[in-house]
């Protein structure tokens, strides 16, 4: 079974500062993928970034980067130069290749608030 | 815009009723996934279809069913609705049935059962 743990229900950051959202995972699959999604108050799920378990380099997409530490089973999202529009719920998710197939398993989310 | 469309955006109905949620995947995507987001259960996978066939099942109630049509759009049918079925229902799509590096979500259908 796959499990995603996000231990920060809420985080606060000042505008223009960087923030790290924590994510740890558990899986018995050798090959898997890790995702981060943003859900603003309007409700849609916006794909941010993806990291494959065999990728040697940490993924980056603009202001988003994924700090992947395989031995520690962590996949933290780093948002640099926070903007007011970054205020939203952030979900970490994973998909494996075993019996769970290509479905996504989500964590409980972290509510990020960016203060001016 | 992810390219995945869902209708309706909002749905308000009464307990015991039946509703149908519709999803059109991104052009060319053969796999459709349904997820439910509720306050008490969080985001959970319901069911996956690939090119018209059921591929994987998650925590989907027996009162719920889904299908994928030849034009690849999918419908999620919810029957004998209960208050606890109130949730945001998402569909997502990927090109194939195997794990993919991106899974794009539609805007969701917010179901309220009164």
């Amino acid at each position: 079974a796959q499990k995603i743990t996000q231990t920060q229900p809420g985080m606060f950051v000042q505008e223009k500062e960087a923030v790290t959202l924590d994510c740890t995972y558990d899986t018995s699959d050798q090959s898997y993928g890790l995702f981060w999604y943003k859900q603003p108050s309007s409700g849609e799920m916006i794909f941010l970034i993806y990291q494959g378990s065999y990728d040697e380099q940490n993924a980056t997409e603009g202001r988003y980067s994924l700090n992947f530490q395989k031995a520690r089973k962590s996949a933290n999202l780093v948002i640099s130069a926070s903007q007011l529009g970054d205020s939203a719920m952030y979900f970490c998710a994973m998909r494996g290749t075993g019996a769970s197939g290509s479905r996504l398993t989500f964590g409980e989310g972290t509510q990020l608030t960016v203060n001016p | 815009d992810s390219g995945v469309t869902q209708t309706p955006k909002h749905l308000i109905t009464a307990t015991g009723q039946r509703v149908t949620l519709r999803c059109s995947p991104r052009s060319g995507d053969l796999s459709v996934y349904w997820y439910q987001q509720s306050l008490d259960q969080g985001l959970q996978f319901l069911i996956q279809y690939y090119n018209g066939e059921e591929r994987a099942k998650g925590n989907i109630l027996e009162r719920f069913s889904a299908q994928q049509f030849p034009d690849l759009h999918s419908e999620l049918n919810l029957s004998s609705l209960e208050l606890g079925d109130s949730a945001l229902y998402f569909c997502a799509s990927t090109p194939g049935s195997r794990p993919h590096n991106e899974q794009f979500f539609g805007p969701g259908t917010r179901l309220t059962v009164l």
Side-chain angles (χ1 to χ4, degrees), chain B residues 14-67:
Chain B
T15 54
Q17 294 298 306
R18 172 189 169 94
V19 296
T20 298
L21 313 184
R22 182 187 170 105
C23 167
S24 292
R26 294 186 314 160
S27 178
D29 283 1
L30 299 177
S31 267
V32 169
Y33 305 76
W34 286 97
Y35 295 88
Q36 178 196 58
Q37 184 179 29
S38 61
L39 285 175
D40 53 344
Q41 300 284 342
L43 258 164
Q44 40 176 15
F45 167 75
L46 295 178
I47 197 164
Q48 176 199 358
Y49 276 81
Y50 171 72
N51 204 20
E53 293 187 1
E54 182 184 304
R55 186 55 63 102
K57 232 173 182 176
N59 298 323
I60 187 166
L61 299 172
E62 286 191 8
R63 300 183 285 110
F64 295 2
S65 65
Q67 54 184 326

Side-chain angles (χ1 to χ4, degrees), chain A residues 37 39 43 50 102-104, chain B residues 33 35 37 57 90 101 103:
Chain A
Y37 286 86
Q39 186 177 40
Y50 166 83
S102 53
R103 71 185 72 179
L104 293 180
Chain B
Y33 305 76
Y35 295 88
Q37 184 179 29
K57 232 173 182 176
F90 289 104
N101 295 355
Q103 197 168 112

Side-chain angles (χ1 to χ4, degrees), chain A residues 73-113:
Chain A
K73 292 190 174 180
S74 74
N76 299 338
L77 177 71
V78 180
I79 305 175
S80 63
S82 296
Q83 302 172 357
L84 296 179
D86 293 335
S87 292
M89 182 73 88
Y90 288 80
F91 290 96
C92 180
M94 77 177 299
R95 59 101 179 121
T97 52
S100 59
S102 53
R103 71 185 72 179
L104 293 180
T105 300
F106 288 88
E108 294 187 351
T110 295
Q111 180 69 49
L112 176 67
T113 302

Side-chain angles (χ1 to χ4, degrees), chain B residues 61-100:
Chain B
L61 299 172
E62 286 191 8
R63 300 183 285 110
F64 295 2
S65 65
Q67 54 184 326
Q68 186 179 27
F69 295 86
D71 66 353
L72 301 177
H73 90 271
S74 178
E75 293 181 356
L76 180 67
N77 300 296
L78 315 176
S79 61
S80 302
L81 286 168
E82 302 175 359
L83 296 177
D85 297 328
S86 294
L88 190 50
Y89 291 84
F90 289 104
C91 79
S93 72
T94 59
S97 65
R98 297 183 62 77
H100 202 74

